[in-house]
Amino acid sequence: MTTIEAPAPPKRKFTLYRGDPGMWSWALHRITGVTIFFFLFVHVLDTALVRVSPDTYDQAIETYKNPLVALMEMGLVICVLFHALNGVRVILVDFWAKGPKYQTVMLWVILTLVALLAIPAIGRMFFYLFTEH
């Protein structure tokens, strides 16, 4: 009995999972969604403190006035921009007949838009970080 050797799997450019841009945008979309949800959850909780104890609310807000939280806010800006624009891309891929064909191009356009919109926003946040404190 002779055995036939199976053909070698095709070599891919990337080695992690599929590694294509669609996989990375899928993962980033979920990560940014969870990040935004966590922020909204904390925001609702700390705002609810106003009714329970205004002093506790003031203390909570005071803890947010540090550079680490400012950096987290800058990350949140990037998360919101990417999540919103990538959501539009997902809608186009799903409902536009040519969407799947142009999904990688649309991803690069979205990443460019995120950078172009985030840079001035984060620059302004850095300005306030260094001038307000």
Side-chain angles (χ1 to χ4, degrees):
M1 178 191 268
T2 59
T3 58
I4 299 174
E5 190 172 319
K11 291 190 177 191
R12 293 202 166 125
K13 264 197 305 193
F14 305 101
T15 58
L16 181 64
Y17 186 53
R18 290 186 183 152
D20 61 348
M23 186 270 304
W24 288 109
S25 69
W26 178 87
L28 279 174
H29 196 74
R30 269 61 182 178
I31 292 167
T32 56
V34 169
T35 303
I36 294 165
F37 174 78
F38 176 72
F39 164 76
L40 291 173
F41 182 74
V42 170
H43 180 64
V44 167
L45 287 179
D46 69 14
T47 304
L49 285 174
V50 159
R51 287 194 162 285
V52 177
S53 171
D55 291 332
T56 307
Y57 172 78
D58 290 338
Q59 291 172 357
I61 296 303
E62 198 60 38
T63 61
Y64 297 154
K65 294 180 181 179
N66 68 55
L68 179 62
V69 174
L71 289 173
M72 290 168 57
E73 288 175 343
M74 292 174 200
L76 182 66
V77 167
I78 294 170
C79 286
V80 168
L81 284 171
F82 177 80
H83 194 80
L85 294 173
N86 193 54
V88 172
R89 185 189 73 86
V90 168
I91 291 169
L92 288 173
V93 168
D94 286 345
F95 295 109
W96 181 35
K98 295 182 181 180
K101 179 180 177 183
Y102 295 111
Q103 72 173 331
T104 303
V105 173
M106 287 189 289
L107 176 63
W108 287 110
V109 168
I110 282 166
L111 292 174
T112 304
L113 283 172
V114 167
L116 290 174
L117 294 170
I119 289 170
I122 290 174
R124 186 173 179 102
M125 293 171 85
F126 264 118
F127 173 76
Y128 283 116
L129 176 66
F130 292 121
T131 58
E132 294 289 318
H133 295 107

